[in-house]
Amino acid sequence: MEHRLIRGIEQALGWNGPEGLGGAFARGSLTDTALTERMLTPQRLLDMTMRRTLAHPQFRMFRDGEELHPSRYLNQEVSRRGQSVDMVNMRLLAGLLREGATMVLDQSNVFDPTMEVACRALQWWSREHVQANIYLTTNEAAGFRLHWDDHDVVIIQLAGEKEWEVRGISRPYPMYRDAARNDSPSEEIVWAGTMKTGDVMHIPRGHWHQATRNGRGSGQSLHMTLGFEKRTGVNWLSWLADWSRETEIFRHDLDRWGSANEQEAQQQQLAEATVSLIGSRSPADFLAAREQEVAPPRHVPYVDFFGPLTSVVCITNFPPRIVEHDDTVEVVAARKKLTFAVKALPALRLLLSGHPVHIDEAASQVGAEVEQVAKILTEEELCAPLTAELSSGYTDLVTSATS
């Protein structure tokens, strides 16, 4: 799936693909200046905030580097039947923003179709889970204090300006759940300066960083942080541990009361079985299985009595795998394996391209069977109807599919 945001990130950072993720710190600027407003504006963010049921900690507010209690900006709206839901109190929010505060919305891709489509495209590009967090800072507010993330991030300044300081690592490849704490910031300053509208920055995992508008007077900053959740050797070993249940020796009770020779013999058997297990499933096998075992994301279902299926788009978190055989074609994705006749291959390639597909146009390109194939893929949740709202997330960012 080709997306303008991906091209913009690669050009800004001097990358030729996702291989740069997790490598060196990088910074640059978008050449497509219209892309920032197309992704998100402060006004759209506030409108999204107003129309959604948002709760802590997905929605948070900070001032002077400290998190504010949710009662400072959230209300429980109570219906006439006594039902209550958390909603942002827009009047209180406005007061905080006028005084100077940082507003954080995690996983904006759950609420906004433009962010949803962008994250899906980035997942197809990087083969990693991606989420988009949004940060709006006003006047002279500070953001988070000096900290590090347990994942790689790409930051895009969507509006306004913000001062940043990025430092080196103090522990190589730190993890959220780790064998040692990582509490002492590095003294090495990798970069310090101002991120302006259209600027892009890649901060690898473990690099300490902080951002602020202290001393900048009135104004605002809106930036998007794209978090890439890459897998490690620890994740591979955890996956192997699940597979160990297939081998009988791993299901045996550990010998607590046997003689020293008996305990040593069991350890030797376990060690030999572990070597065999490691050799049977490689890290590449783990990464491939991870992509195929991810359930379909939330989407609008296809229900035939709401109307005909006129346009669809593939919604899997990662690109479906299409396997050709002599007389059949297999599609593997989202915990499913579907088998089609080989004549469906052109339709499958079009429908699973990640680009919007208008069925009437597709029929003239690949044949009338595309309609039936589209229905099957939609019923199996590999594709979804291209609603007007979802279509807006693709407009001017992802082209429609062509044969």
Side-chain angles (χ1 to χ4, degrees), residues 266-388:
Q266 184 183 53
Q267 180 181 348
Q268 182 63 31
Q269 288 178 313
L270 288 169
E272 292 172 356
T274 300
V275 171
S276 177
L277 178 63
I278 289 173
S280 67
R281 289 179 172 85
S282 67
D285 294 331
F286 162 59
L287 293 174
R290 174 174 172 259
E291 291 184 19
Q292 296 160 16
E293 292 170 359
V294 178
R298 297 168 70 247
H299 60 278
V300 175
Y302 169 58
V303 183
D304 55 3
F305 51 73
F306 289 153
L309 191 63
T310 58
S311 300
V312 300
V313 67
C314 182
I315 57 163
T316 56
N317 285 283
F318 299 104
R321 188 159 59 93
I322 300 176
V323 183
E324 301 178 43
H325 301 287
D326 292 337
D327 300 318
T328 60
V329 178
E330 287 181 350
V331 175
V332 182
R335 301 180 179 176
K336 296 181 179 180
K337 181 165 70 174
L338 310 178
T339 303
F340 297 84
V342 71
K343 68 177 182 179
L345 183 58
L348 289 169
R349 285 178 172 160
L350 197 65
L351 294 165
L352 300 177
S353 66
H355 295 253
V357 176
H358 303 287
I359 292 176
D360 286 347
E361 297 175 10
S364 64
Q365 298 179 45
V366 297
E369 63 269 12
V370 69
E371 181 177 1
Q372 184 59 31
V373 175
K375 286 182 178 179
I376 294 171
L377 294 175
T378 304
E379 290 167 356
E380 295 292 341
E381 299 183 290
L382 272 61
C383 291
L386 189 68
T387 62

